[in-house]
Amino acid sequence: MKTIHLLIFVLILQGCQQVKTKNSTPEIADSTTVKVDTAIFENDTIAIYKIDSSAFMENKPTSIVNEDTLVYVEDFVKAKELLKGKVKFGDYDMDSHSVDTLKEGANISYIVADSGETLKIESNQDFAYVGFVRYYPTENIVLFEGGHTSDYAIDLKNGSIDIMEVGNPQYIQYSPSKKYRLNGWFPGQECSDYFIQEKIGDTYNVLARIPIHLTEEGFDLCTLKDIFWYSDQELYFRNTYFGFEEDKRLGYFKLLLK
C-alpha cells in the first residue's frame, strides 16, 4: 500500500512540474522558418518584390544614399545665354505656325545637338506647345513643360526628344557606383512613369522599365517616394497612390537588377 501511495505522489509531482514548465516558458517559433519573398513582377532584367515596412527600414539606415543634386539653371535669361548656338528661342506665331526668333518667348525655334543633328519646329510642332523649365548643363538636357504640366525634355547630346528615353532629371537617383540610375517623367495624368538606365561609355541608356500596372486595378506603381539604392543591384522605394491612405496598392517595394 505504501508503494502505491509513493507512486501516486511521484506522478502528481511530475505532473505539477510539467504544468509549471509549460506555463513559465513562452512558445518559441521555429527559427528555421523563413519568409521567402515572392516577386510580383519579373522579366529578364528586373524583379520587383513587395516587402513589409520593417524590411524596408532595416536596410534604409545602412544603405548608401546618393544625395547629389544635379546642377540646373531656372533663370530663362541665363539659360538662353548658356544655350546660345544650341537652342534658339522665340515667340510662337499662330498664323504662320512658326517661331519668331526676333521676339522674346520661351518657345523653341530649333535645336542643334552635339551630334550635329538639327531639329526645327517645322517638323516638330510640339515645340510650339511647351515652355522652358530648367537647363541641366551637366546632363546637357533642357526640361520643358507641356499640357497638363506634362514633362518634355531634349537631350542635346544626341538630339533625342523622346521623353521615355530622356526622362526628367528631377527624377534621377544614382546607384552607389553610378553605373545605374533611376529616371522617370510625368505624363500629365496623375501617375509618373519610371525606368532604369545603365551607363555605357558616357551615356545612360534605358535598361528596364518599371511597370505601372501589376494587378487588375492597374496604376499599381504610381508615385514613388523614399527612394534609395542599397547596392548597384538593389533599389528600394515606397509607392503612393493619388493621396489615398488606404489602398492595397500602397506599400514598400524592392527592385533587383539581374
Side-chain angles (χ1 to χ4, degrees):
M1 183 66 69
K2 288 183 179 181
T3 303
I4 294 174
H5 287 167
L6 180 61
L7 179 59
I8 291 173
F9 176 76
V10 170
L11 290 175
I12 292 173
L13 180 62
Q14 288 179 342
C16 291
Q17 288 176 336
Q18 287 175 356
V19 170
K20 183 178 180 181
T21 300
K22 282 185 178 182
N23 290 338
S24 61
T25 305
E27 198 168 311
I28 300 174
D30 185 356
S31 61
T32 61
T33 303
V34 179
K35 182 180 178 182
V36 179
D37 289 330
T38 302
I40 58 173
F41 174 84
E42 189 167 11
N43 60 20
D44 294 337
T45 312
I46 63 173
I48 300 175
Y49 303 81
K50 189 164 188 180
I51 60 176
D52 58 30
S53 59
S54 61
F56 182 87
M57 297 306 297
E58 186 177 285
N59 286 313
K60 189 173 183 180
T62 58
S63 66
I64 304 171
V65 180
N66 191 321
E67 296 180 346
D68 289 349
T69 301
L70 291 175
V71 176
Y72 61 82
V73 179
E74 284 186 331
D75 185 276
F76 184 50
V77 174
K78 185 176 180 180
K80 280 200 301 181
E81 185 63 29
L82 292 171
L83 291 167
K84 187 176 291 185
K86 295 182 177 182
V87 183
K88 190 66 175 179
F89 294 94
D91 187 50
Y92 182 70
D93 187 294
M94 296 292 291
D95 296 325
S96 63
H97 301 291
S98 63
V99 172
D100 187 344
T101 58
L102 297 178
K103 294 182 178 180
E104 290 295 322
N107 297 115
I108 316 163
S109 175
Y110 64 85
I111 69 167
V112 179
D114 294 348
S115 62
E117 183 178 3
T118 300
L119 300 176
K120 299 181 178 181
I121 189 173
E122 285 77 12
S123 55
N124 298 276
Q125 281 296 309
D126 48 354
F127 284 3
Y129 304 103
V130 298
F132 173 82
V133 176
R134 287 177 174 177
Y135 171 47
Y136 290 83
T138 59
E139 304 301 306
N140 215 2
I141 289 174
V142 188
L143 178 66
F144 299 85
E145 183 178 287
H148 301 285
T149 68
S150 60
D151 290 331
Y152 188 91
I154 298 175
D155 187 335
L156 293 174
K157 294 188 294 293
N158 53 27
S160 175
I161 57 175
D162 185 347
I163 189 65
M164 296 184 70
E165 301 289 328
V166 181
N168 177 343
Q170 288 177 273
Y171 284 71
I172 290 176
Q173 295 268 2
Y174 288 100
S175 70
S177 73
K178 293 193 175 182
K179 181 180 180 180
Y180 303 100
R181 70 185 189 184
L182 176 70
N183 202 342
W185 65 289
F186 182 63
Q189 297 297 324
E190 297 171 322
C191 288
S192 294
D193 180 71
Y194 298 89
F195 53 95
I196 304 292
Q197 293 177 301
E198 179 182 17
K199 189 173 186 180
I200 300 176
D202 61 351
T203 304
Y204 281 93
N205 299 320
V206 175
L207 175 68
R209 298 197 177 277
I210 298 178
I212 193 171
H213 304 297
L214 296 172
T215 64
E216 292 181 358
E217 289 87 351
F219 299 103
D220 300 276
L221 298 177
C222 186
T223 303
L224 309 188
K225 302 286 187 180
D226 300 330
I227 303 164
F228 65 92
W229 288 86
Y230 184 75
S231 68
D232 275 344
Q233 276 69 45
E234 200 164 346
L235 175 70
Y236 287 76
F237 54 84
R238 177 173 63 87
N239 181 50
T240 61
Y241 182 71
F242 301 163
F244 292 122
E245 296 182 0
E246 296 295 333
D247 192 293
K248 66 181 180 181
R249 288 166 286 188
L250 302 177
Y252 299 88
F253 300 81
K254 71 176 178 180
L255 180 151
L256 298 181
L257 295 179
K258 296 183 177 181

